[in-house]
Amino acid sequence: MRIRTRRPVSAAGLTRLLCLLAVLAAVGLLPWLSGRDPALTVLRARSAEQEPTKEALDAVRRDLGLDAGPLSLLGSWASDLVRGDLGTSWVSGTDVLPSVLAGLQVSLGLMGAAFGVALLLACMLVAPVLVRGRRSAGAWGAMLAAVPEFLLATVALLVGGVWLGLLPTSGWQGPAYMVLPALALGVPAGGLLGRLVADALPAVLDERWVELWRGAGVGRGSVSAAALKRVLPPLVPQFGMAAVGLTGGAVAVETVFAVPGIGRTALGAAKSQDLPLLQGSVLALLLLGLVAGAASALLRRRLLGPALRDAGLSLPPVRPVRTHPAIPLSLFAVLAVTIGWGLLRDPYTVTTTARLAAPSWSHPLGTDGLGRDVLARLGHGAAPTVGTAAAVCLLSLAIALVLGFLPGIAAGAADIANALPPVIVGILVAAAAGPGTGGAAFAVALISWPPLAAHAAALVQEVRASSFLTAQRAIGAPPSWILTRHVLPSVAGPVARHALLRLPGIALALASLGFLGLGAQPPAPEWGLLLDESRAYVERAPWAALAPAVALALLAGLAVSGASYAQGRDTVVRRRKTTAGSRTSVKETPVGV
């Protein structure tokens, strides 16, 4: 008789479960954590003319169960959730579940269309690589992936809807209303997918089996299909992350185009303190992220197959495409001159007689709806936008370095963090603590550490397995000495450079929260807030929206081109050192050995 032993629960699985329960508890306790009195909002929604007396507010609290305490409130919410009851809207008095399902249906349709656009664009980026077999199109994909969805949505609304008048700009009444939102969501995702595949393909096409297949007369189509099958399995998790990105980006895009999706429903519920509707919407968005991650993992296992899964699969190292130094230098010069010029001007002076003035010598980038100088606000907004991003980047680096030594815990927590886009976490933080720069920074920091932690964990594993460290242990070096003098210096440097490359992405995430009203508040000149303020008059004064949009695009381009140049230069330096070392070893080898 064969006795089956129970496998112990892994650290990653236990951490994943605890983090999921923590997220669910935070959602369930939103009424208690909000710090604001939701009874006043409900009273005004039910009867705008009734005075908010203590007796009236106490009656509302008893009706909502807010006076029972946090544990009772969480237990009641969890028991209703198990029965499939998401509660009743505090504002409209209707059931939450139908509203969530209706918004989810719209969002799924929009995301399906956006994913189709992403796949089409990815194929366009990958096709030249398959034809040429050498050069990578990843640089163009990286540029597209670095542009935020809300920026593309604003530009698409301005060009396709306002200037050309080809497509509707708001609502959800037919296929035509889906085109512009799907383009705004699909282009960055397609750039990311195309970049990943296009960067990995050249190294795969240089493998020995490709040469043998071509020599045997195998057609180009069959070779291309086999190369794609070779490339895709390790990249499938990134495809799942792209789907999660569509979930988060949909919130901003739905807001721009007034699409009644689940993201816009969650944002509206957060601003009106309709916490039952917010809880249901956030759970639906979290479920979408978890399903996307699970589907990508299942697809990867199916693509690998038993033999490949047992042996493990890794791609050859990516060959970076060098960028000419003139590109990042030019982008930096344009940004520096613009920001410096704006810092010399006053960003808060209101001139009602110069409202929505066109660009002129006195106002080089025009004025906004209050007559404030757009160039001044753009220049003064660079510090809070990029400075806050730098603080978040440092916090994420610190978290990554700590969790890099705990790979099991980091893996479980990263699965939940990856399923929560910044916008969703920003909505939760704003509902609990109110909108603001600090809350937006905290929200982005909560979910920006997983890539850095994965990098740190890989480096820690590599350093611990090195022969040099084994020799240090053999001569009796204490663990603290090894940690502070060898492991940390070997890990901190590369991860810090990785974090620096993610700085513009963090700045864009903060700008998206400001754009949605979850970050910096007026009259702060933060770039995302500038875009949000200019939406109301984008048809009359497009320059007010284009100025921060172009600044964000230049920042993204600077990051991509600078990282590409640095990576290509490091590769050349390493090759030269390797070549020089090989020549030296050959010269020093005695004849006959």
Side-chain angles (χ1 to χ4, degrees), residues 31-221:
W32 191 269
L33 298 175
S34 62
R36 293 173 291 175
D37 190 1
L40 181 60
T41 303
V42 176
L43 181 64
R44 289 177 176 173
R46 292 177 177 178
S47 178
E49 298 179 355
Q50 186 175 355
E51 291 292 331
T53 61
K54 183 178 183 303
E55 293 76 12
L57 293 176
D58 289 340
V60 173
R61 293 189 190 98
R62 287 192 300 270
D63 185 29
L64 301 178
L66 296 176
D67 57 347
L71 295 180
S72 176
L73 185 65
L74 179 60
S76 176
W77 180 79
S79 62
D80 292 340
L81 182 63
V82 171
R83 296 194 301 267
D85 183 9
L86 297 181
T88 303
S89 169
W90 288 355
V91 175
S92 65
T94 59
D95 290 339
V96 168
L97 184 59
S99 300
V100 170
L101 292 178
L104 189 61
Q105 182 179 3
V106 172
S107 294
L108 287 176
L110 174 58
M111 284 184 246
F115 201 73
V117 172
L119 291 179
L120 180 61
L121 179 58
C123 292
M124 294 172 62
L125 293 173
V126 171
V129 183
L130 291 174
V131 173
R132 299 170 185 169
R134 293 289 179 182
R135 298 184 62 186
S136 171
W140 288 105
M143 291 286 289
L144 294 174
V147 181
E149 293 87 354
F150 72 90
L151 189 155
L152 279 178
T154 303
V155 174
L157 175 69
L158 184 65
V159 176
V162 177
W163 290 353
L164 301 179
L166 299 177
L167 294 165
T169 59
S170 63
W172 189 261
Q173 300 177 11
Y177 290 79
M178 189 185 297
V179 176
L180 292 180
L183 287 174
L185 274 175
V187 168
L192 173 62
L193 301 183
R195 172 196 176 187
L196 292 172
V197 178
D199 280 346
L201 268 178
V204 170
L205 293 174
D206 282 345
E207 290 180 334
R208 180 64 177 168
W209 66 270
V210 176
E211 183 180 350
L212 294 176
W213 281 31
R214 288 172 176 168
V218 178
R220 176 175 292 178

Side-chain angles (χ1 to χ4, degrees), residues 203-538:
V204 170
L205 293 174
D206 282 345
E207 290 180 334
R208 180 64 177 168
W209 66 270
V210 176
E211 183 180 350
L212 294 176
W213 281 31
R214 288 172 176 168
V218 178
R220 176 175 292 178
S222 299
V223 173
S224 299
L228 287 174
K229 188 176 180 180
R230 168 80 170 91
V231 164
L232 286 179
L235 300 180
V236 164
Q238 299 296 327
F239 280 48
M241 287 299 299
V244 175
L246 288 178
T247 304
V251 179
V253 173
E254 289 172 1
T255 302
V256 172
F257 293 102
V259 176
I262 189 66
R264 185 164 173 255
T265 301
L267 185 62
K271 292 183 176 180
S272 63
Q273 295 190 43
D274 192 354
L275 296 183
L277 182 58
L278 175 61
Q279 290 168 342
S281 302
V282 168
L283 283 180
L285 289 168
L286 175 61
L287 181 62
L288 275 180
L290 293 175
V291 169
S296 65
L298 178 62
L299 179 60
R300 181 175 185 270
R301 286 195 295 268
R302 294 295 300 271
L303 287 174
L304 283 173
L308 291 176
R309 184 168 61 247
D310 293 339
L313 183 64
S314 61
L315 287 175
V318 175
R319 300 180 310 180
V321 180
R322 291 200 65 185
T323 299
H324 196 279
I327 297 178
L329 286 176
S330 300
L331 294 176
F332 175 78
V334 172
L335 271 175
V337 170
T338 304
I339 292 172
W341 195 3
L343 288 174
L344 301 176
R345 309 167 75 91
D346 186 0
Y348 299 108
T349 300
V350 176
T351 308
T352 56
T353 57
R355 292 179 64 253
L356 304 180
S360 61
W361 179 253
S362 58
H363 301 289
L365 296 181
T367 62
D368 62 7
L370 296 177
R372 297 172 297 190
D373 187 75
V374 173
L375 177 60
R377 294 183 64 76
L378 188 69
H380 286 265
T385 302
V386 183
T388 305
V392 173
C393 193
L394 287 175
L395 179 58
S396 301
L397 175 61
I399 296 174
L401 290 177
V402 172
L403 294 181
F405 292 89
L406 304 169
I409 295 177
D415 289 341
I416 303 301
N418 287 332
L420 292 170
V423 172
I424 307 307
V425 183
I427 290 175
L428 289 175
V429 173
T437 304
F442 179 69
V444 176
L446 283 176
I447 48 84
S448 59
W449 57 266
L452 301 177
H455 189 187
L459 291 175
V460 168
Q461 184 180 12
E462 180 181 338
V463 172
R464 283 176 172 173
S466 64
S467 58
F468 174 76
L469 215 62
T470 304
Q472 289 290 318
R473 296 191 189 99
I475 63 176
S480 59
W481 172 274
I482 294 176
L483 176 65
T484 57
R485 296 301 179 94
H486 298 292
V487 180
L488 274 180
S490 300
V491 174
V495 178
R497 289 191 292 271
H498 184 183
L500 184 62
L501 295 179
R502 291 190 172 270
L503 177 63
I506 293 175
L508 294 176
L510 291 170
S512 67
L513 293 178
F515 173 77
L516 294 172
L518 303 175
Q521 299 298 298
E526 195 267 339
W527 289 357
L529 185 58
L530 295 184
L531 270 172
D532 181 46
E533 292 174 343
S534 62
R535 278 193 303 138
Y537 44 84
V538 66

